[in-house]
């Protein structure tokens, strides 16, 4: 996946200015920069959710797993149902349950996510992106709200199940990058 | 019993007392019969087979009109949420139906169709725009972030409708239905009265007016109020159950 010379403004405020990024197939990359430097906007451009004012995004895989900055879960649905919403019939319930259990959610499989803690919801969002699969996994502060041990567990889970997909992770924390064994790209 | 229930019973009893006082002040059963006189008239009507036939006749048509408007209004609102052109095409009709007086539609419908279909048509016409605009507003209030998530994960539209749009539309659907249910009875019975629809509650009201039977008029009015209230409770409970089932089903 290649992003070349991206420019993006929101009103008068420039968010991306001549940003280029190449993500080789299977690479694990962490984007680090202070707040407001357009990391999320860059991920959104890569996912096709934002159209850059100029520049191009090329060779984007057909399917992209995305952990958004917000959890973006359906509150009335359970963890399993939220993951199944993304996977459809491509993954059976038992496999989804195994994924969630691996993330320490074995006791909350059928609990509505609106009744879960922030950390539990974050892990459901991670499982959803990983189970959806695809050639690229975009993670926007994926370990927000997770303690050190759970962060390690979640990072190991992502690496174990990414099936060769490239990973681009946005974070402020070097420990996140270390947990993912990622190469760091500073914006 | 709960305190609120007692308060409601007290408020109803007070209303009956006010009615009684007004009736005594007027002093004419022709102008305003007492609550007891209306109750006696109602008790006399109840064993009559014609009473139940009239109730059934009006109920079927008004409930049928409401049901048709509920199904079509909700379906078209979801279609308009999916394809904005549907709303563009429907908007003129909705605006016209909302602003034209119900009496105009009743008279037009009297020319177009047989009178027995009148309450069904008018009930449908009064309910449809309320439900369509309410449900569409609910769909448009759906969480943009969830819809964007659904786009990224390529969630089919029907699944989006069930898991994201329906939960957003549900409070609007219930509020719209609560408002439209009373409207369907008012407009439906008005159509029966104007059209003098044979065998309907409206015809009984019309006859009560012609023969100056104020007691009958109020007894039938009480029946309409009771039917409307019962229908509203039943429909709202059913809608809540349907929404819960639809949202809770397998994705």
């Amino acid at each position: 996946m290649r992003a070349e010379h991206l420019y993006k403004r929101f009103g008068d405020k420039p968010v991306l200015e001549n940003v280029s990024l190449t993500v080789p197939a299977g690479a694990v990359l962490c984007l680090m920069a202070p707040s407001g430097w357009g990391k999320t906007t860059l991920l959104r451009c890569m996912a096709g959710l934002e159209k850059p004012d100029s520049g191009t995004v090329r060779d984007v895989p057909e399917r992209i797993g995305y952990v958004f900055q917000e959890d973006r879960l359906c509150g009335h649905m359970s963890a399993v149902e939220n993951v199944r919403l993304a996977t459809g019939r491509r993954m059976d319930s038992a496999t989804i349950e195994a994924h969630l259990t691996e993330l320490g959610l074995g006791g909350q499989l059928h609990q509505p996510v609106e009744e879960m803690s922030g950390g539990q919801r974050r892990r459901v969002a991670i499982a959803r992106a990983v189970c959806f699969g695809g050639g690229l996994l975009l993670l926007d502060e994926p370990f927000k709200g997770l303690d050190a041990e759970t962060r390690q567990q979640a990072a190991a889970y992502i690496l174990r199940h990414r099936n060769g997909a490239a990973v681009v992770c946005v974070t402020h924390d070097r420990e996140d990058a270390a947990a993912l064994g990622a190469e760091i790209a500073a914006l | 019993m709960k305190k609120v229930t007692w308060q409601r019973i007290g408020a109803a009893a007070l209303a009956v007392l006010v009615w009684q006082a007004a009736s005594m002040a007027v002093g004419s059963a022709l102008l305003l019969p007492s609550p007891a006189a209306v109750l006696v008239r109602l008790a006399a009507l109840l064993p009559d087979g014609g009473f139940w036939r009239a109730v059934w006749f009006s109920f079927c048509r008004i409930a049928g009109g409401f049901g048709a408007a509920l199904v079509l209004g909700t379906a078209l609102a979801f279609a308009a949420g999916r394809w904005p052109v549907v709303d563009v095409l429907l908007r003129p009709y909705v605006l016209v139906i909302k602003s034209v007086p119900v009496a105009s539609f009743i008279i037009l419908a009297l020319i177009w169709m047989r009178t027995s279909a009148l309450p069904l048509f008018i009930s449908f016409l009064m309910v449809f725009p309320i439900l369509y605009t309410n449900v569409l507003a609910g769909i448009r209030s759906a969480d943009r972030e969830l819809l964007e998530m659904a786009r990224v994960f390529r969630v089919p539209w029907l699944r989006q409708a069930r898991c994201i749009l329906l939960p957003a539309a549900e409070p609007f659907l219930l509020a719209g239905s609560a408002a439209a249910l009373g409207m369907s009875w008012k407009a439906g019975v008005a159509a029966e009265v104007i059209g003098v629809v044979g065998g309907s509650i409206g015809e009984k009201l019309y006859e009560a007016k012609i023969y100056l039977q104020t007691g009958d008029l109020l007894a039938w009015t009480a029946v309409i109020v009771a039917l409307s209230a019962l229908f509203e409770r039943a429909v709202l409970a059913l809608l809540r159950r349907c929404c819960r089932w639809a949202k809770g089903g397998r994705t």
Side-chain angles (χ1 to χ4, degrees):
Chain A
M1 204 264 351
R2 280 189 298 169
E4 292 172 344
H5 309 296
L6 297 186
Y7 286 84
K8 180 73 187 175
R9 299 175 77 88
F10 289 116
D12 291 338
K13 191 185 170 202
V15 181
L16 295 176
E17 285 190 287
N18 197 20
V19 172
S20 296
L21 181 74
T22 301
V23 185
V28 181
L29 197 66
C30 263
L31 301 178
M32 297 190 75
S35 296
W37 280 51
K39 304 181 295 294
T40 296
T41 307
L42 178 59
L43 286 198
R44 290 176 59 79
C45 288
M46 289 159 79
L49 296 175
E50 211 76 65
K51 199 173 180 305
D53 297 334
S54 68
T56 53
V57 179
R58 288 182 195 171
D59 305 328
V60 180
E62 199 187 339
R63 293 162 61 82
I64 296 174
Y66 201 145
V67 177
F68 295 91
Q69 201 170 38
E70 317 78 20
D71 300 321
R72 301 199 185 187
L73 300 168
C74 295
H76 65 285
M77 288 161 54
S78 70
V80 172
E81 286 167 343
N82 266 283
V83 176
R84 198 192 291 125
L85 183 66
T87 62
R89 292 176 196 276
R90 286 181 296 106
M91 191 174 273
D92 60 39
S93 291
T95 313
I96 292 171
E97 287 174 10
H99 274 265
L100 290 164
T101 304
E102 212 175 318
L103 280 165
L105 296 169
Q108 289 82 32
L109 294 173
H110 301 289
Q111 186 181 333
V113 295
E114 63 197 0
E115 293 172 11
M116 289 182 172
S117 70
Q120 288 171 335
R121 285 201 295 267
R122 202 68 191 140
R123 281 176 278 164
V124 176
I126 291 171
R128 179 179 61 190
V130 170
C131 289
F132 181 71
L136 179 62
L137 205 48
L138 300 176
L139 313 174
D140 197 347
E141 298 183 36
F143 308 129
K144 195 171 59 180
L146 300 186
D147 59 49
E149 191 186 335
T150 316
R151 180 193 347 217
Q152 290 294 338
Q153 186 187 27
Y157 164 80
I158 291 168
L159 294 175
R160 200 158 43 240
H161 292 285
R162 69 186 173 110
N163 290 328
V167 177
V168 179
C169 174
V170 157
T171 181
H172 298 285
D173 196 336
R174 284 188 177 273
E175 283 183 33
D176 288 355
L180 285 168
E183 194 180 321
I184 294 175
L187 284 181
Chain B
M1 255 194 285
K2 285 183 190 169
K3 191 180 168 188
V4 178
T5 313
W6 281 114
Q7 284 173 342
R8 283 179 184 163
I9 292 170
L14 184 65
V16 172
L17 277 177
V18 169
W19 177 4
Q20 177 67 36
S23 167
M24 286 164 73
V26 170
S28 163
L30 185 70
L31 290 178
L32 186 61
S34 67
V38 171
L39 206 62
V40 168
R41 208 42 224 128
L42 191 59
L45 286 171
L46 285 175
D48 181 16
F51 169 84
W52 293 107
R53 276 194 295 278
V55 166
W56 181 243
F57 181 98
S58 294
F59 175 80
C60 287
R61 280 152 184 81
I62 292 170
F66 177 87
L70 175 69
V71 171
L72 199 67
T74 306
L76 285 172
F78 272 86
R82 177 83 172 91
W83 301 287
V85 68
V86 174
D87 186 46
V88 174
L89 291 172
L90 283 177
R91 196 51 62 172
Y93 303 102
V94 170
L95 280 175
V96 166
I97 296 169
K98 277 167 94 173
S99 47
V100 170
V102 63
S104 304
F105 276 121
I106 294 170
I107 294 163
L108 267 176
L110 273 171
I111 300 166
W112 293 340
M113 60 186 70
R114 61 181 198 280
T115 55
S116 63
L118 193 63
L120 189 144
F121 178 69
I122 294 300
S123 164
F124 170 85
L125 222 51
M126 292 302 108
V127 170
F128 175 78
I130 299 173
L131 288 180
Y132 171 76
T133 48
N134 265 273
V135 175
L136 184 56
I139 288 168
R140 286 182 173 160
S141 77
D143 190 335
R144 299 287 113 190
E145 292 185 344
L146 283 182
L147 291 172
E148 199 176 68
M149 174 278 293
R151 200 176 125 203
V152 167
F153 292 116
R154 299 171 174 215
V155 179
W157 186 80
L158 272 179
R159 222 182 297 160
Q160 284 184 43
R162 196 151 61 83
C163 300
I164 300 171
L165 300 179
L166 180 61
E170 185 185 353
F172 291 79
L173 173 67
L174 293 175
S177 297
L181 279 160
M183 182 73 80
S184 70
W185 278 92
K186 279 193 248 185
V189 172
E192 288 176 350
V193 172
I194 295 173
V196 198
V197 179
S200 69
I201 292 178
E203 186 194 34
K204 305 293 181 195
L205 286 176
Y206 181 79
E207 285 171 358
K209 177 207 137 190
I210 293 292
Y211 300 114
L212 295 173
Q213 293 165 330
T214 320
D216 278 24
L217 181 77
L218 291 180
W220 279 108
T221 304
V223 169
I224 295 165
V225 170
L227 281 172
S228 175
L230 286 173
F231 187 54
E232 182 177 325
R233 282 189 159 221
V235 169
L236 291 181
L238 189 69
L239 277 177
R240 280 195 194 96
R241 190 171 276 238
C242 286
C243 288
R244 205 163 45 236
W245 172 79
K247 289 187 301 181
R250 284 177 65 90
T251 50

